[in-house]
Amino acid sequence: MIRVWLVLLMALSNLLFSSAAVGLENSTVPEFINIGVLYSFNTSVGRIVKIAVETAVDDINSDSTILGKTKLTLSFQEDSKYRGFLSIAEALQLMATHTVAIIGPQTSTTAHVISHIANELHVPLLSFSATDPTLSSLQFPFFIRTAFNDIFQMTAIADMVSHYGWREVIVVYGDDDHGRNGIGALADKLAERRCKISFKAPMTPDAKREEITDILVQVALAESRVIVLHTSTSWGPKVLSVAKSLGMMQNGYVWIATTFLTSYIDIDSPLSSDEMDNIQGVITLRMYIPDSKLKRSFVSRWTNLTRGKEGNGSLGLSTYGIFAYDTVYVLARALDTFLKQGNQITFSHDPKISELRGDSLHLDAVKIFNEGNLLCKSIYAVNMTGVTGPFRYTPDGNLANPAYEIINVIGSGTRRIGYWSNYSGLSVVPPETLYSKPPNRSYENQKLLTVFWPGETTQTPRGWVFPSNGKLLRIGVPKRVSYREFVSQVQSTDMFKGFCIDVFLSAVNLLPYAVPYKFVPYGDGQSNPSNTELVRLITAGVFDAAVGDITITTERTKMVDFTQPYTESGLVVVASVKKTDSNAWAFLTPFTPMMWTVTAIFFLLVGAVVWILEHRLNDDFRGPPKKQVATILWFTFSTMFFAHRENTVSTLGRFVLLIWLFVVLIINSSYTASLTSILTVQQLSSPIKGIESLVNMKEPIGYLQGSFARSYLIDEIGIHESRLVPLKTPEETAKALEKGPQKGGVAAYINERAYIELFLSSRCDFTIVGQEFTKNGWGFVSISIHKHFCLFSAWTLQFILVPLFKVLN
């Protein structure tokens, strides 16, 4: 029994000694807390980060309100290779120093690798430069992003693309986790705005000039001219330099660079004239940091902080430096809260590592941070105002109110053309001024200032060109022999001209994407081709589409798709007219004989009524019968000229006279107007009054050869085929109408109004009779709006052609 108690006593003493040692090493309020920094310090960004982190630690250690007597210490570890096995080894070396958190790494690729280690060892990773959207808090709960997620940057780019009306973009990016995942987010955001990535041009992260040149040559052959460049500061400027040498910084191109370019400009500012020439007209983004007293103070300190620490002169301050400074403060405040809650900082061995046999890597030096989960919660709970402005996290692990400045490179510097925020989209005022207002993302509210695009132009580029390696659409064009003002082939060329061609070209120039095509003539040039047959050839695959004076009919719409009509052109009847010359009896022609008779009767009737009402009371209407009859006639006809002298004394008499004088006024006015017209305007007349007259007649009727009018008159109107005479040209039509049916001509000519107006513009012996008896229009044709020829879909016509035709009209 004594031996048992001795064994228990020895075990208890060992346990107490061990606990005392651990308690001594991991007291509740430690004197020092070690923070690791994993970055590539031989880069300009790394040097800035090191200065900012050291400055933040000095400021915190000198501030007794944060962490009290506890001081922060830094352990720097060079991230020399950015990725792969060495990154793992470097991270393990850093974690072996009992660090409670690691600031870094610099790249998203490294973050993907060592986040798995952080998950295992419960050590938080705080990175402001690994902005890959897929570094989510669900997969990597110990990865904490202290800058804006790239998902917001890609949303800003998608909003700009949509704002300027472009539909397709080309992306050039580094083929690593950062590049691929960022471009994947951009594709999703573009799709939400009915845009897309038309061509992807990935490059190896360490691409040489030859590889960059080969890739950009392929980009230059594509149709889109809107290029999004998503890469790093190390080789992004090389891409722009090669683009400049290839002539891809000229008028018509659009370059949108992610935040790497503003970091490059801010750090190495001022750039040389050659470097600035390479990026003229580029639009880029910069993480937005609102103006504040803290920011101005930090910016003013920066020159002194960097003096003497950089052999080539002072380093410019980029957003990386500011976010690095605030990252240390966020961690310090989280640790302060963590310790005030009574938590300890303890480490323990990973039992999985102890199970390894023959561990020659000495992995047992790496320990688990037992309170890592609690520290992560404290970090996400931080709500402070730092140099970067208000700093707090949303429930999804992203910073609240992400915003970017939109920068345009101009001349020897840059110009801010607006802002983007996740709250209100594009604007020309700082985002913080809009947070107090309801969000407004309407099209009218999305604004940016004038941009100076590549080529030193302020006109917004169209965003596309006809690709030199694309398949050309075969567009059939009728080769007419008449009414060539609408469409005709230029002699000895493959070009066409005319009103229809002008409308087509104007529509194409307004489109935000390229449509490669070539015109193919249809017809022998001797007679007008049938447009119905042209439409049928589209369904047979001979043509992809058709452009010209093609009427939209029910029969044709069953075979192909038409655009909205770009001009109205129903069928009308034209007939020859005869001149009616004036003569000595022309003054009688304003009224018909019936009208003259009725007017005379009313004159006599009114005179008789007035006499009956007045002769008993009025002496002017008394006397011998002959006098009274003469008085009635004189009084009645003198009212026509308002020259009657007899007074009316009875109330009824005056009432009748008042009404009669009003009637006389109307009769005089109508007569005067009609007579004036007869004497001054040439009178034309025709026995044909419209399509109804032709149906009841037996005379021949002319129509334009190749027109749908023939089938319409036979099938819909019921006119016999034998009465229809095809006419090829306006001259042939005029001769047939002049001859008339008695001399082998035609009684009337039926064609569409557009042709008729052109026909009558130089011929005064013919006129349109009756009303337009069809409601048709002209449109362009494609096999299906779902095929490649989406140019002429109903959507296109609604948004492009309709406004164009309003201008044309």
Side-chain angles (χ1 to χ4, degrees):
M1 188 66 182
I2 296 175
R3 291 180 179 179
V4 172
W5 283 106
L6 288 174
V7 172
L8 291 174
L9 184 61
M10 292 176 62
L12 181 61
S13 63
N14 290 334
L15 179 63
L16 291 174
F17 178 81
S18 176
S19 299
V22 172
L24 183 63
E25 180 183 357
N26 301 298
S27 60
T28 303
V29 183
E31 184 178 357
F32 297 100
I33 297 178
N34 190 34
I35 298 174
V37 183
L38 180 63
Y39 234 82
S40 179
F41 301 113
N42 60 348
T43 64
S44 57
V45 174
R47 289 190 288 270
I48 288 176
V49 169
K50 186 175 183 180
I51 295 171
V53 169
E54 290 176 336
T55 302
V57 169
D58 292 341
D59 291 345
I60 292 169
N61 289 339
S62 61
D63 186 355
S64 60
T65 63
I66 303 177
L67 292 174
K69 297 181 180 180
T70 302
K71 303 300 181 182
L72 297 179
T73 61
L74 295 173
S75 295
F76 292 100
Q77 178 64 50
E78 176 73 21
D79 181 13
S80 58
K81 298 298 182 183
Y82 303 116
R83 61 189 184 276
F85 172 75
L86 288 180
S87 295
I88 298 175
E90 291 160 353
L92 290 174
Q93 287 180 351
L94 198 58
M95 292 178 181
T97 61
H98 286 189
T99 56
V100 298
I102 294 177
I103 296 176
Q106 181 167 340
T107 66
S108 298
T109 302
T110 304
H112 274 279
V113 174
I114 67 174
S115 288
H116 294 284
I117 302 175
N119 288 351
E120 186 70 24
L121 301 179
H122 297 182
V123 177
L125 294 176
L126 290 82
S127 179
F128 44 85
S129 56
T131 53
D132 179 356
T134 62
L135 288 168
S136 63
S137 58
L138 295 178
Q139 183 182 7
F140 304 114
F142 288 91
F143 177 84
I144 301 173
R145 185 182 289 108
T146 57
F148 301 144
N149 191 329
D150 263 353
I151 192 71
F152 301 113
Q153 180 176 202
M154 298 308 168
T155 304
I157 292 175
D159 278 346
M160 283 192 290
V161 170
S162 177
H163 174 73
Y164 289 112
W166 303 315
R167 288 291 173 264
E168 295 183 359
V169 302
I170 295 174
V171 291
V172 180
Y173 60 97
D175 194 13
D176 54 14
D177 292 327
H178 176 249
R180 286 191 302 270
N181 297 329
I183 295 305
L186 176 61
D188 293 339
K189 294 303 178 181
L190 288 172
E192 292 175 5
R193 292 153 181 79
R194 297 184 179 181
C195 306
K196 68 175 183 178
I197 297 174
S198 61
F199 183 72
K200 293 183 178 180
M203 300 182 185
T204 57
D206 52 354
K208 304 301 180 182
R209 191 175 183 88
E210 293 75 14
E211 179 185 349
I212 296 174
T213 302
D214 294 340
I215 294 295
L216 290 185
V217 167
Q218 297 179 38
V219 171
L221 294 176
E223 60 189 61
S224 178
R225 283 294 181 263
V226 182
I227 304 170
V228 176
L229 180 59
H230 181 49
T231 179
S232 64
T233 55
S234 60
W235 62 275
K238 297 179 184 177
V239 176
L240 296 172
S241 175
V242 174
K244 173 71 173 180
S245 65
L246 293 177
M248 298 177 66
M249 285 291 178
Q250 298 176 353
N251 191 7
Y253 279 91
V254 176
W255 284 86
I256 302 176
T258 51
T259 53
F260 81 88
L261 186 57
T262 49
S263 297
Y264 169 69
I265 295 173
D266 294 339
I267 294 172
D268 295 337
S269 181
L271 299 178
S272 66
S273 59
D274 291 338
E275 290 173 316
M276 290 302 298
D277 287 342
N278 293 335
I279 58 176
Q280 288 297 303
V282 176
I283 295 178
T284 183
L285 301 173
R286 177 190 288 130
M287 287 187 287
Y288 176 63
I289 299 174
D291 187 35
S292 65
K293 184 178 180 180
L294 286 174
K295 178 183 175 181
R296 292 192 295 270
S297 175
F298 187 77
V299 171
S300 64
R301 292 174 60 192
W302 186 253
T303 302
N304 294 330
L305 292 173
T306 57
R307 184 177 293 117
K309 295 186 179 182
E310 177 62 29
N312 297 328
S314 62
L315 284 170
L317 177 61
S318 73
T319 55
Y320 287 124
I322 300 177
F323 275 96
Y325 184 87
D326 269 6
T327 297
V328 179
Y329 260 89
V330 169
L331 179 57
R333 292 187 181 277
L335 285 169
D336 188 43
T337 302
F338 172 83
L339 295 175
K340 287 179 179 179
Q341 292 173 349
N343 296 308
Q344 296 182 356
I345 298 177
T346 62
F347 296 89
S348 62
H349 290 286
D350 189 344
K352 297 178 182 178
I353 295 178
S354 62
E355 294 175 0
L356 295 176
R357 296 291 183 266
D359 180 15
S360 60
L361 297 177
H362 304 289
L363 295 178
D364 55 341
V366 179
K367 297 181 180 181
I368 295 175
F369 177 28
N370 297 324
E371 291 78 21
N373 281 309
L374 295 176
L375 181 57
C376 282
K377 292 180 180 179
S378 297
I379 293 173
Y380 280 121
V382 169
N383 188 351
M384 71 173 197
T385 299
V387 180
T388 58
F391 194 104
R392 64 182 177 85
Y393 284 97
T394 58
D396 61 358
N398 289 311
L399 290 181
N401 298 324
Y404 292 86
E405 295 178 83
I406 303 175
I407 305 298
N408 183 205
V409 181
I410 305 173
S412 59
T414 61
R415 172 174 174 261
R416 183 173 55 217
I417 60 172
Y419 305 86
W420 179 92
S421 70
N422 195 42
Y423 183 78
S424 57
L426 302 174
S427 67
V428 294
V429 297
E432 63 269 19
T433 63
L434 302 175
Y435 293 150
S436 61
K437 303 176 182 178
N440 185 354
R441 283 182 169 268
S442 63
Y443 178 80
E444 294 76 12
N445 199 55
Q446 303 297 296
K447 299 177 182 178
L448 292 175
L449 299 179
T450 302
V451 179
F452 286 84
W453 305 99
E456 300 181 356
T457 178
T458 57
Q459 182 178 358
T460 302
R462 185 171 57 179
W464 60 269
V465 294
F466 292 109
S468 57
N469 58 350
K471 178 184 177 181
L472 299 179
L473 294 174
R474 292 174 54 84
I475 300 180
V477 182
K479 193 174 182 180
R480 304 190 56 84
V481 296
S482 62
Y483 303 105
R484 295 169 58 85
E485 291 83 354
F486 292 105
V487 57
S488 63
Q489 186 174 10
V490 180
Q491 189 174 4
S492 302
T493 69
D494 294 332
M495 300 175 61
F496 283 81
K497 63 179 182 179
F499 170 75
C500 301
I501 303 300
D502 291 341
V503 171
F504 172 81
L505 296 178
S506 298
V508 168
N509 290 333
L510 290 174
L511 289 176
Y513 48 85
V515 180
Y517 65 89
K518 67 175 180 179
F519 290 134
V520 180
Y522 169 68
D524 57 8
Q526 303 299 320
S527 60
N528 292 319
S530 171
N531 285 339
T532 300
E533 180 63 18
L534 174 59
V535 168
R536 190 193 66 78
L537 291 177
I538 295 176
T539 63
V542 177
F543 300 111
D544 298 309
V547 171
D549 49 350
I550 304 173
T551 305
I552 304 172
T553 65
T554 303
E555 177 187 4
R556 295 171 183 173
T557 55
K558 293 178 181 179
M559 295 186 287
V560 295
D561 287 331
F562 277 89
T563 64
Q564 298 287 339
Y566 60 86
T567 187
E568 296 181 355
S569 185
L571 292 176
V572 294
V573 178
V574 173
S576 58
V577 291
K578 296 181 180 180
K579 298 178 182 179
T580 302
D581 298 327
S582 59
N583 52 47
W585 298 97
F587 69 92
L588 296 176
T589 54
F591 292 160
T592 63
M594 178 61 72
M595 182 64 183
W596 281 116
T597 302
V598 172
T599 303
I601 292 173
F602 269 96
F603 269 99
L604 296 176
L605 180 61
V606 170
V609 170
V610 172
W611 176 81
I612 292 172
L613 297 174
E614 293 289 330
H615 81 282
R616 294 182 180 179
L617 305 174
N618 194 339
D619 293 337
D620 292 338
F621 292 89
R622 291 183 178 181
K626 291 184 178 180
K627 180 182 178 183
Q628 292 186 40
V629 171
T631 300
I632 292 172
L633 295 176
W634 170 254
F635 175 80
T636 302
F637 286 100
S638 62
T639 57
M640 181 181 298
F641 309 101
F642 304 97
H644 54 286
R645 293 177 296 175
E646 292 78 12
N647 295 323
T648 53
V649 296
S650 66
T651 302
L652 289 177
R654 290 177 178 178
F655 179 73
V656 171
L657 182 60
L658 179 63
I659 295 175
W660 174 243
L661 290 176
F662 182 73
V663 173
V664 168
L665 176 63
I666 296 175
I667 293 174
N668 281 341
S669 300
S670 300
Y671 178 83
T672 303
S674 299
L675 183 60
T676 302
S677 176
I678 291 171
L679 296 178
T680 58
V681 178
Q682 186 181 39
Q683 300 298 302
L684 303 176
S685 63
S686 173
I688 300 173
K689 305 303 180 184
I691 188 64
E692 297 82 4
S693 302
L694 292 176
V695 172
N696 299 325
M697 297 169 62
K698 301 297 182 182
E699 281 79 4
I701 302 171
Y703 70 93
L704 180 64
Q705 182 193 40
S707 171
F708 80 100
R710 181 180 185 279
S711 59
Y712 185 85
L713 293 174
I714 295 174
D715 299 334
E716 303 295 334
I717 305 299
I719 296 177
H720 197 273
E721 182 180 0
S722 61
R723 294 179 57 194
L724 300 178
V725 179
L727 302 171
K728 294 183 180 180
T729 63
E731 293 75 16
E732 185 178 351
T733 301
K735 291 181 180 178
L737 287 172
E738 289 173 354
K739 289 181 179 179
Q742 293 78 15
K743 298 182 180 180
V746 295
Y749 175 65
I750 295 178
N751 204 347
E752 297 176 71
R753 179 176 288 276
Y755 298 126
I756 294 303
E757 290 179 351
L758 184 60
F759 174 77
L760 296 179
S761 63
S762 58
R763 297 171 178 85
C764 301
D765 296 333
F766 314 103
T767 190
I768 296 175
V769 293
Q771 300 295 320
E772 189 174 299
F773 59 93
T774 65
K775 295 294 181 181
N776 300 102
W778 289 354
F780 301 137
V781 189
S782 69
I783 183 60
S784 172
I785 61 174
H786 303 293
K787 294 290 182 79
H788 181 67
F789 197 63
C790 57
L791 156 66
F792 301 119
S793 65
W795 179 91
T796 300
L797 266 297
Q798 180 181 357
F799 292 100
I800 295 178
L801 292 182
V802 171
L804 172 63
F805 300 144
K806 290 182 179 179
V807 175
L808 293 175
N809 292 334

